[in-house]
């Protein structure tokens, strides 16, 4: 199952809709045309009626009697449960399952009225074909948004501090973390959010901030600071349409360049791009390890689609993901401790305040952290930081037909859509890049074998296609979409087939 | 506690001009930490960018040179997760009143339990004499063709107006007073701000005297006067802890 929500940037009203895709398959994509539309008003019906298949069904709250049920119960909000009851009936499902779920989900709300509404909705007699949905047997399936998994994974990684300025699409992450024991400070801006996380991390605790593209602009100096002073920092960057205020509640993948090239100077950083819930779970925990091991900022890219869509996932698959905590090289009481000691791999043992007195510096510095403007020390330190990431391996996953020379490349949230596409079009090879930066070097060899490379991404400029060209000198064709919506299944198939 | 003298000679020499108030501030800080028997490893000082921020290379503590105007956010993050550390944020007038004023006001609002030491030299010193938001009205500075047309912001008044519980203004010349105030501030449970008036010996030396008099009169009524005239004609104040 997949439930993709759309909502406008306002508190109440407007076009709020959710598209639910149900299938026995695991990797799903929102559709251009649906089988069943339920509209809560005539206006909304008009807006969305063209998004229904020719043989599809369009229902509206007034005509179906949903409004009357709510009126009888004197509570307009129970229309939702009444409509759920009706849809449940049309999908030939057992009403007890729905009622049990309402009891669970709305326990703290007006549960009695909602149960009554759902029952009444289920009993509505309308002339319509029925849909048959067969449940997946014997498997425990969980539904979660990307943000919910981000929060769980951060806690699993023993993250102990977060400061987050609210901004779509990471706001629910802020609300979820606020319910936990995690130490949080309400920030005045994203500058504080990022820099206080740098402070907490410097003090020895794993720390997190999260934002969207606009807030990330303000975090740029913190990225440079963390890179220069060699302090771990994890930033979740939830992309939405830009530039500037853009369409605040809609999705985009246009901040790849901003993440990779953020801040002035040459600042070492790692950029990760998980594509589904399991990858969010793994890469978020891994991000904290990478930040600690390499002592630098790690940016995890998500977007409105991945962060706020509810996906289903096998609970056993999530449970299997266990990442051992690795805090990297640590101070062991050595005499004459130098925070930025020159080492073979460029990584210096890290002390925390409270263990010994030592200097940490945003200025160029020597091994002890003293500020310097000496040329030779500058060259040494630049080289030290530059070589830290040399040991980083992998960064992408090869899926689909591994022998094919027709290669589709994606990164981040396009993963489930592309997995569904290659499931239905098994002749293609699909490369999912989960670590755009540092750019995975073996990708050069892999792509050089291809007859044709097509990169799929939700932006206009083809940022990944251009990055690939820059890093490998291999030309790639682009399939792009940047209207705020994810790729729809029919549209993606058409676009991809036209490129090969 | 000792002053750092290790490493190359160049680094052991402070970057301040003769007569700069930062000499006395760094000395006072060193003395207070010694008197309070706080181990250097348990003291974190987050430095602003600017002349006074170069104390990083002088004080033997856990020093962290941050970014311009950003010593407060870093200090707050440290203190939030390591309550046993003594966390001091240092700021210049430019960093505090211009680049990072937002953080100052909100740290007061949240009552973040850190000590803020402001080295107010009334001017952007390191960039060579442009007016900051602490520069007196009618002063001649290098960032404007005319005499500075705007009145300075008052650090202590901003602190008082926003509800700070510990506010002090100390002249650079009174080392004893400075030490006693810093000592109180470090022990204070809550946000404590100490403004040290230390006019830049290079770029503020011709600033109109009348402005110093104005500086000495905070308008906020809740500031409780505990001292009077001193060497430079300035006053210092401490707020009521439970005010």
């Amino acid at each position: 199952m997949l439930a993709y929500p759309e909502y406008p940037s306002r508190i109440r009203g407007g076009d709020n809709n959710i598209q639910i895709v149900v299938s026995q398959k695991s990797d799903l994509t929102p559709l251009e045309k649906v089988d069943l539309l339920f509209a809560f008003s005539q206006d909304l019906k008009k807006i969305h009626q063209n998004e229904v298949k020719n043989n599809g069904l369009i229902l509206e709250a007034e005509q179906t009697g949903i409004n009357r049920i709510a009126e009888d119960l004197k509570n307009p909000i129970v229309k939702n449960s009444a409509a759920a009851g009706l849809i449940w009936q049309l999908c030939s499902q057992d009403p007890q399952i729905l009622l049990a779920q309402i009891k669970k989900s709305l326990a703290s709300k007006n549960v009695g009225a909602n149960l009554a509404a759902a029952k009444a909705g289920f009993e509505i007699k309308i002339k319509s074909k029925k849909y048959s949905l067969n449940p997946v047997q014997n498997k425990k399936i969980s539904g979660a948004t990307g943000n919910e998994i981000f929060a769980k994974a951060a806690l699993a990684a023993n993250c102990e501090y977060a400061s987050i300025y609210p901004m779509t699409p990471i706001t629910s992450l802020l609300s979820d973390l606020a319910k936990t024991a995690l130490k949080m400070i309400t920030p005045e801006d994203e500058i504080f959010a990022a820099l206080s996380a740098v402070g907490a991390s410097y003090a020895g605790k794993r720390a997190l901030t999260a934002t969207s593209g606009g807030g990330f602009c303000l975090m740029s100096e913190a990225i440079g600071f963390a890179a220069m002073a060699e302090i771990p920092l994890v930033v979740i960057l939830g992309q939405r349409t830009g530039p500037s205020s853009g369409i605040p509640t809609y999705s985009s993948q246009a901040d790849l360049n901003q993440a990779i090239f953020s801040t002035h100077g040459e600042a070492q950083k790692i950029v990760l791009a998980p594509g589904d819930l399991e990858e969010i779970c793994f890469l978020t925990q891994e991000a904290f390890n990478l930040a600690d091991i390499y002592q630098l900022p790690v940016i995890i890219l998500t977007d409105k689609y991945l962060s706020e869509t509810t996906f289903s996932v096998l609970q056993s698959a999530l449970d299997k993901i266990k990442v051992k905590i690795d805090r990297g090289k640590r101070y062991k009481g050595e005499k004459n401790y130098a925070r930025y000691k020159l080492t073979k791999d460029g990584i210096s043992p890290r002390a925390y305040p409270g263990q010994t007195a030592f200097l940490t510096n945003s200025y160029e510095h020597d091994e002890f952290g003293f500020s310097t403007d000496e040329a030779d020390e500058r060259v040494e330190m630049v080289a030290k930081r530059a070589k830290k990431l040399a040991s980083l391996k992998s960064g992408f996953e090869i899926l689909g037909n591994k022998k094919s020379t027709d290669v589709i490349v994606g990164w981040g949230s396009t993963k489930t859509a592309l997995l569904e596409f290659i499931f239905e079009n098994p002749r293609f090879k699909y490369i999912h890049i989960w670590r755009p930066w540092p750019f995975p070097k073996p990708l050069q060899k892999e792509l050089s074998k291809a007859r044709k490379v097509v990169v799929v991404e939700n932006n206009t400029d083809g940022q990944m296609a251009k990055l690939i060209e820059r890093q490998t000198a291999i030309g790639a064709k682009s399939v792009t979409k940047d209207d705020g919506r994810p790729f729809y299944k029919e549209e993606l198939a058409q676009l991809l087939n036209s490129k090969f | 506690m000792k002053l750092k003298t290790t490493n190359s000679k160049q680094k052991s020499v402070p970057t301040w001009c003769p007569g700069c108030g930062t000499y006395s501030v760094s000395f006072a800080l060193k003395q207070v930490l010694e008197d309070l028997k706080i181990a250097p490893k348990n003291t974190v000082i987050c430095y602003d960018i600017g002349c006074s921020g170069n104390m990083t290379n002088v004080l033997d503590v856990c020093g962290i040179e941050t970014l311009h105007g950003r010593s407060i956010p870093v200090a707050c993050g440290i203190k939030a997760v390591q309550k046993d550390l003594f966390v001091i944020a240092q700021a210049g007038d430019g960093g505090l009143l211009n680049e990072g004023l937002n953080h100052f006001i909100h740290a007061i609002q949240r009552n973040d339990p850190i000590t803020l030491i402001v080295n107010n030299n009334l001017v952007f010193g390191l960039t060579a004499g442009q007016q900051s938001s602490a520069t007196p009205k009618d002063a001649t500075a290098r960032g404007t063709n005319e005499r500075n047309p705007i009145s300075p912001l008052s650090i202590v008044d901003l602190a008082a107006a926003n509800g700070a519980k510990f506010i002090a203004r100390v002249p650079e010349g009174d080392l004893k007073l400075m030490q006693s105030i810093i000592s109180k501030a470090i022990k204070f449970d809550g946000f404590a701000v100490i403004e040290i008036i230390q006019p830049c010996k290079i770029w503020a030396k011709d600033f109109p005297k009348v402005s110093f008099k104005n500086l000495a009169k905070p308008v906020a009524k809740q500031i409780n006067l505990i001292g009077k005239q001193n060497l430079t004609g300035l006053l210092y104040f401490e707020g009521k802890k439970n005010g």
Side-chain angles (χ1 to χ4, degrees):
Chain A
M1 190 219 62
L2 171 151
Y4 160 63
E6 287 181 348
Y7 57 93
S9 184
R10 53 193 270 186
I11 294 176
R12 288 277 185 270
D15 175 11
N16 291 271
N17 68 78
I18 187 157
Q19 187 188 120
I20 302 171
V21 182
V22 186
S23 166
Q24 290 212 320
K25 286 187 308 184
S26 55
D27 297 300
L28 300 172
T29 318
L31 300 164
E32 244 165 23
K33 301 273 185 188
V34 299
D35 292 296
L36 192 163
L37 168 72
F38 187 93
F40 282 89
S41 76
Q42 281 294 342
D43 289 346
L44 291 171
K45 182 178 156 184
K46 269 183 212 150
I47 293 173
H48 293 287
Q49 61 192 2
N50 294 332
E51 298 161 17
V52 181
K53 287 177 183 168
N54 286 336
N55 60 349
L57 180 62
I58 300 176
L59 301 172
E60 192 269 330
E62 186 62 36
Q63 290 164 346
T64 51
I66 295 293
N67 284 355
R68 211 192 53 247
I69 293 172
E71 276 159 31
D72 290 348
L73 290 162
K74 299 187 173 55
N75 191 344
I77 205 160
V78 302
K79 277 184 211 172
N80 292 304
S81 295
L86 173 56
I87 293 165
W88 208 249
Q89 176 215 133
L90 294 174
C91 294
S92 325
Q93 296 299 301
D94 176 2
Q96 293 312 319
I97 295 173
L98 176 66
L99 297 177
Q101 187 61 44
I102 287 175
K103 268 185 206 159
K104 198 175 147 195
S105 304
L106 302 176
S108 62
K109 307 214 168 143
N110 194 352
V111 71
N114 278 293
L115 288 172
K119 278 181 202 159
F122 193 84
E123 298 302 329
I124 288 175
K125 305 253 181 305
I126 55 166
K127 272 189 190 165
S128 158
K129 62 176 173 183
K130 299 272 166 114
Y131 300 90
S132 71
L133 303 176
N134 299 321
V136 180
Q137 299 293 347
N138 302 326
K139 280 179 181 167
K140 194 169 178 246
I141 292 175
S142 298
T145 63
N147 281 351
E148 283 166 353
I149 303 296
F150 273 122
K152 284 183 181 158
L155 296 173
N158 200 23
C159 175
E160 292 184 64
Y161 177 85
S163 186
I164 300 171
Y165 193 94
M167 188 170 191
T168 303
I170 52 75
T171 316
S172 71
L173 180 59
L174 164 60
S175 321
D176 282 358
L177 290 175
K179 290 174 199 150
T180 71
L182 191 82
K183 177 73 192 168
M184 296 181 91
I185 298 183
T186 302
E188 52 273 21
D189 53 25
E190 286 86 349
I191 297 171
F192 179 94
L195 286 171
S196 67
V198 171
S201 173
Y202 158 83
K205 304 293 183 189
R206 288 187 155 183
L208 169 76
T209 188
T211 186
S212 185
F216 190 77
C217 292
L218 299 187
M219 295 184 178
S220 179
E221 62 176 24
I223 298 292
F225 177 38
M228 184 58 147
E230 302 199 43
I231 302 169
L233 171 68
V234 174
V235 183
I236 295 172
L237 167 49
Q239 301 161 99
R240 62 192 225 186
T241 68
S244 195
S245 306
I247 319 177
T249 55
Y250 280 81
S251 203
S252 177
Q253 284 188 301
D255 291 340
L256 178 69
N257 286 346
Q258 188 188 204
I260 291 175
F261 302 116
S262 55
T263 208
H264 63 283
E266 293 167 331
Q268 277 65 41
K269 60 182 93 74
I270 295 172
V271 179
L272 304 175
D276 56 23
L277 298 187
E278 288 162 75
E279 236 174 24
I280 290 175
C281 184
F282 173 72
L283 286 179
T284 303
Q285 296 181 65
E286 186 66 8
F288 284 97
N289 279 352
L290 293 171
D292 271 342
I293 293 166
Y294 297 104
Q295 304 174 17
L296 42 61
V298 178
I299 300 153
I300 311 173
L301 286 167
T302 175
D303 52 42
K304 188 262 173 176
Y305 174 68
L306 182 60
S307 271
E308 295 195 340
T309 298
T310 301
F311 301 90
S312 55
V313 63
L314 280 178
Q315 190 57 46
S316 58
L318 277 186
D319 292 343
K320 245 187 269 170
I321 299 168
K322 295 220 164 34
V323 182
K324 201 171 159 240
I325 289 176
D326 184 347
R327 305 265 1 227
K329 277 194 208 174
R330 299 281 309 281
Y331 163 77
K332 292 196 187 82
E334 49 267 48
K335 278 186 184 147
N336 210 18
Y337 170 69
R339 170 65 189 89
Y340 302 106
K341 189 176 168 60
L342 295 170
T343 58
K344 213 172 164 190
D345 60 5
I347 301 164
S348 323
R350 201 176 143 224
Y352 306 144
Q355 295 178 326
T356 184
F358 63 98
L359 289 184
T360 303
N361 209 331
S362 63
Y363 283 115
E364 192 55 274
H365 42 261
D366 68 4
E367 286 185 279
F368 290 90
F370 287 104
S371 310
T372 183
D373 48 17
E374 296 296 329
D376 54 346
E377 287 178 337
R378 159 73 179 169
V379 170
E380 266 175 2
M381 277 296 151
V382 169
K384 167 200 175 345
R385 291 189 294 269
K387 71 182 169 189
K388 283 201 294 185
L389 289 170
S391 63
L392 215 50
K393 296 257 167 10
S394 188
F396 61 93
E397 186 181 5
I398 302 170
L399 299 147
N401 181 352
K402 294 186 180 170
K403 287 187 182 142
S404 175
T405 54
D406 283 345
V407 180
I408 300 166
V409 176
W411 60 277
S413 69
T414 54
K415 187 180 181 187
T416 51
L418 288 170
L419 280 175
E420 187 174 26
F421 177 79
I422 58 161
F423 180 80
E424 292 176 4
N425 302 271
R427 75 177 185 88
F428 294 101
K429 181 190 281 186
Y430 163 40
I431 297 177
H432 169 66
I433 302 176
W434 52 261
R435 196 197 67 223
W437 198 261
F439 188 81
K441 283 206 183 94
L443 209 49
Q444 155 96 45
K445 199 177 160 200
E446 191 53 47
L447 293 179
S448 65
K449 293 185 275 185
R451 182 184 73 89
K452 199 172 255 182
V453 179
V454 176
V455 184
V456 178
E457 51 194 322
N458 283 113
N459 55 55
T460 306
D461 207 25
Q463 294 182 18
M464 178 56 86
K466 286 186 175 164
L467 183 70
I468 288 172
E469 201 165 333
R470 179 188 142 151
Q471 297 292 126
T472 66
I474 293 169
K477 286 197 181 333
S478 266
V479 164
T480 61
K481 177 184 185 182
D482 195 16
D483 63 357
R485 281 77 179 163
F487 283 103
Y488 296 122
K489 186 179 171 182
E490 307 90 318
E491 159 190 65
L492 184 63
Q494 199 190 1
L495 285 166
L496 276 171
N497 286 319
S498 75
K499 294 284 178 185
F500 284 99
Chain B
M1 184 88 183
K2 59 185 192 311
L3 284 172
K4 274 274 183 199
T5 52
T6 49
N7 287 348
S8 76
K9 265 186 280 176
Q10 186 241 328
K11 279 154 203 155
S12 65
V13 177
T15 53
W16 312 306
C17 307
C20 179
T22 306
Y23 284 106
S24 50
V25 178
S26 60
F27 185 78
L29 258 169
K30 188 178 93 78
Q31 282 301 321
V32 168
L33 294 172
E34 235 172 52
D35 293 347
L36 295 177
K37 296 191 167 51
I38 300 172
K41 65 176 184 158
N42 293 329
T43 307
V44 180
I45 307 184
C46 300
Y47 299 96
D48 191 7
I49 300 294
C51 287
S52 303
N54 288 345
M55 279 191 282
T56 311
N57 301 306
V58 170
L59 292 171
D60 182 18
V61 294
C62 290
I64 172 167
E65 180 66 71
T66 68
L67 304 170
H68 186 50
R70 312 295 180 217
S71 54
I72 291 174
V74 178
C76 291
I78 297 167
K79 188 70 182 180
V81 297
Q82 292 283 19
K83 290 192 170 36
D84 295 339
L85 295 173
F86 295 87
V87 183
I88 297 168
Q90 177 275 334
D93 49 301
L96 191 79
L97 293 176
N98 294 82
E99 196 79 56
L101 181 59
N102 208 10
H103 310 309
F104 178 45
I105 301 296
H106 288 87
I108 294 169
Q109 186 198 16
R110 291 184 299 253
N111 199 22
D112 292 321
I114 59 167
T115 302
L116 173 68
I117 295 178
V118 190
N119 300 83
N120 186 358
N121 67 352
L122 312 179
V123 73
F124 281 113
L126 202 53
T127 52
Q130 298 77 22
Q131 67 281 6
S132 78
S133 283
T135 301
K137 193 168 186 289
D138 297 326
T140 307
R142 297 172 106 199
T144 172
N145 276 336
E146 48 188 343
R147 283 171 181 277
N148 185 25
I150 51 174
S151 299
L153 291 173
S154 160
I155 291 164
V156 290
D157 281 316
L158 280 167
N162 289 287
K165 307 284 198 306
F166 186 111
I167 308 165
R169 175 182 274 165
V170 184
E172 61 185 338
D174 194 338
L175 200 56
K176 241 183 167 173
L177 175 64
M178 200 187 294
Q179 281 172 216
S180 98
I181 296 280
I182 291 174
S183 178
K184 278 183 192 173
I186 286 176
K187 286 182 273 184
F188 186 76
D189 184 19
F191 187 83
V193 51
I194 307 165
E195 178 190 18
I196 292 145
I197 303 288
Q198 48 170 93
C200 180
K201 302 300 171 286
I202 306 298
W203 305 114
K205 64 177 185 287
D206 299 325
F207 284 1
K209 290 276 187 294
V210 59
S211 304
F212 289 100
K213 209 170 143 198
N214 291 341
L215 262 175
K217 285 180 191 161
V219 292
K221 289 205 171 60
Q222 58 267 57
I223 296 179
N224 182 25
L225 189 69
I226 60 165
K228 278 195 173 180
Q229 291 289 321
N230 57 59
L231 290 176
T232 55
L234 296 170
L235 307 174
Y236 64 94
F237 309 88
E238 186 179 345
K240 290 174 187 165
K241 285 180 189 177
N242 303 313

